[in-house]
Structures are given as structure tokens and as C-alpha cells.
Amino acid sequence: MAIKVFKNFFKMVLANLFKNNKEIKLGFYGPPNAGKTSLANRICKDFTGEEIGSVSKVPHETRKVQFKEKVEISYKGKKMVFKMIDTPGIATKIDYEEFLKYKMSKKEAKERAKEATQGVIESIKWLDDMNIVVVVLDATENPYNQVNITIIGNLVARKIPVLIVANKVDLKKADIKKIEAAFPEYEVVGISARFGDNLEEFYESIFRLSKKVQ
Amino acid sequence: MSDKKRGEKHLGNIKGFSIQFLPYSEIKDLNSDDRIRKVLGIILSNNILILQGRLNSNEEARLIGDTMAMIGHIKDFRGIELAVISGNEKESIFGKMAKGFANILAGGDFSAITIIGPASIVKEMKRNPKKIELLLNR
């Protein structure tokens, strides 16, 4: 009997130890060109010295899911280890002709469109694997976009904690209140991934959400 | 200018399409695969679909994934435009859940209207909480 109690206690201690050291899978989701990679890059650069991927004004620059493992984020004396997962932007339509505006050849534009469609499919498949998701929205755009609602609806259905980030608050057209009004049940943090504005509030929220999955 | 001419000017060169209304009873008993197949069948025939109610979020994601897989394989198909407008926008998800298990199983909100159109016809759907505007391709 005593041996059994001791065994169980030992098992519990080990399990907790393992649980606290495991990486939290932190996904970046959202529509194209909202700044998912810019935000992921800023975090990765600050804590690992390396970026996760390239950014561009041309939509669908990220066309494959990209990772950075064992990113240890320190904030106010606390530390947490994350696996950062940057996903391609989710869209309901992709037209190669849109890419021609960016001085791309027809062949390149078609190839980019093909890869972008596969990227959207990959992003959707990865939804099941996330522990926490940051939905990155462009604060200068209308938030009442069905893609945003569909992404958040899927995360709620999977019981994955969500943080909404209103990016590009440095721009005049940015309207964080509109995003807050569109998603009143969620915490919305306004940031500028480009200039690193308000990342303290972002880390605070991420640490708070992480406690829910530990 | 006569009414006819004025009308023509506004319509421009919009090619033929039709608007199809689908009552919820038509998809109520279908499984997710068949619901998505039905919706896609309507859209791929160059129709704008007005659906009573809404698909559940998982079905919406699958619809997006399936349409992405079709781009490049079906001539002139570039994806879809999709918008849902609900009568209960201000109600929380938990409030909606309290409305009944049957609604949840069915995918929600019978007061909602879903509009789905092929991107070759619908250029943009502008949505705010109370209205949806459809901008058509010319």
C-alpha cells in the first residue's frame, strides 16, 4: 500500500515536471498581409536572435507553415518556452492576376497562387495542433471579414485559447475600437510589429493565456 | 434617359448568373460532406447562394479548404466570397449555446443568413454587423 502511494506521488511529480518544461505551441493565424510573420519575427529576433521568415508587401509571402522551436520568452522575471508556428494567411479566394500588379511574370504569379492555395489548406490542417493562437488582424482593415470569424469559430470549437492582436496601430487609419467591437468576447491587444510598440501588453496576455494550457 | 437605359448603365457588363435561395431544411439532414458538396455544386454553377442559417465553423473551414484545392483545377475558378450575417451579433457564444443543443448540432443560428458566391462573379462582400454589400465583377 505504502509503495503504491509512493509510486503514484513520484509519477505525479514527474508528470508535473515534464508538463512545465514542455513547449507551448503558439500559432499565428489571420488573413494575408496582417503582419503574422512580422510579429513572429520580432519575438524570435528578440529572444533567439533569428527571424522565422521573410516578409513582403506582396500578399501570401508565407506559403508554408514555418517554425521556430524552443523560443524561451522572458517577461518580468518569468520564463516560458514556446514553439512558434507562423502560418500562411487564410483567404477564400486567390487570383494570380492580383500578383501581376507587383511586377511579377505570369508564370511566377501562377506559381505563387498555386503555393498560396496549398498554404491555406495547410494552415487549416494545423489548427488542431495549436495550444494557443494569436489571431493577427490588420487594424486598418474591416474586421468583419468572414475569414476572421471562421478562424476564431474553429479555435473556440477546439477550446484553444485565443488572443486577438490588432497590428499596424502606428498607421493613421488603424481603428482598434472597431476590432474590439467586432470581437467583444476576446481580449484585443493593439501593437505595431514593425516598430515593436506595446509588446509588453502582448507578452503579458500570452503568459496569462499560457497558464490555461499548462 | 429612359428607365431601361439608366438600368443598363448601372448593370454594365455583368455576365449571366443567378441567385439561389436554399432553405435550411434542404441541408438539415445532410452530413458535413454532403452539405459542402451541395454548396459547392451551387456555386460552381455560377450561382450566388443565399442560405438560411449557417454552416458550423468546421464546415466553413472545410469549405474554404475545398475551394482552395479547386483553384487551378477548374477553369476560371478563383475561390469564393463568403459572408454570414446573424440576427444575434451582440449575443455571446455562451448565450447562443444556452439557446439549445439542437441549434448547436445543426450549426447554429437559424436567424443567420449566409451568402456565398464564386469570386469570378462576386468581387467583394463588404460586411458590417447589420448589412452585407455585394460588389460584383464586371
Side-chain angles (χ1 to χ4, degrees), chain B residues 115-126:
Chain B
I115 304 178
I116 312 171
S120 54
I121 293 172
V122 184
K123 189 179 178 190
E124 195 183 348
M125 284 188 194
K126 282 189 177 176

Side-chain angles (χ1 to χ4, degrees), chain A residues 92-93 142 150 154 185, chain B residues 57 60 80-81 92 123 127:
Chain A
T92 58
K93 61 175 180 184
N142 180 9
T150 302
N154 272 272
E185 291 145 18
Chain B
S57 55
E60 277 177 16
I80 57 169
E81 277 288 338
S92 73
K123 189 179 178 190
R127 181 184 177 278

Side-chain angles (χ1 to χ4, degrees), chain A residues 48-99:
Chain A
T48 69
E50 290 172 352
E51 294 191 334
I52 198 166
S54 62
V55 294
S56 164
K57 281 185 179 173
V58 187
H60 297 285
E61 177 67 7
T62 305
R63 299 185 294 283
K64 280 191 173 167
V65 172
Q66 39 198 24
F67 318 93
K68 184 70 81 181
E69 292 185 279
K70 295 191 171 49
V71 178
E72 190 179 83
I73 300 182
S74 312
Y75 177 72
K76 287 188 178 170
K78 290 175 264 178
K79 281 182 184 175
M80 276 188 183
V81 183
F82 294 90
K83 178 177 181 176
M84 312 278 281
I85 304 159
D86 180 31
T87 66
I90 297 182
T92 58
K93 61 175 180 184
I94 293 169
D95 184 355
Y96 79 90
E97 286 180 5
E98 288 292 313
F99 301 132

Side-chain angles (χ1 to χ4, degrees), chain A residues 27-54:
Chain A
F28 293 83
Y29 273 83
N33 262 30
K36 297 176 289 299
T37 308
S38 297
L39 177 58
N41 273 349
R42 186 158 279 279
I43 301 164
C44 289
K45 192 103 200 243
D46 284 352
F47 294 98
T48 69
E50 290 172 352
E51 294 191 334
I52 198 166
S54 62

Side-chain angles (χ1 to χ4, degrees), chain A residues 90-95 97 116-117 120-121 124 127 142 144-147 149-150 153-154 156-158 185-186, chain B residues 54 57-58 60-61 64-65 67-69 71 78-84 91-93 119 122-123 127-129:
Chain A
I90 297 182
T92 58
K93 61 175 180 184
I94 293 169
D95 184 355
E97 286 180 5
T117 58
V120 174
I121 296 168
I124 293 170
L127 277 167
N142 180 9
Y144 295 100
N145 174 338
Q146 195 57 36
V147 163
I149 296 161
T150 302
N154 272 272
V156 170
R158 289 165 171 80
E185 291 145 18
Y186 298 92
Chain B
R54 63 183 302 171
S57 55
N58 192 37
E60 277 177 16
I64 294 171
T67 52
M68 284 295 127
I71 296 174
R78 296 175 231 158
I80 57 169
E81 277 288 338
L82 164 72
V84 180
E91 196 173 5
S92 73
I93 286 177
V122 184
K123 189 179 178 190
R127 181 184 177 278
N128 73 29

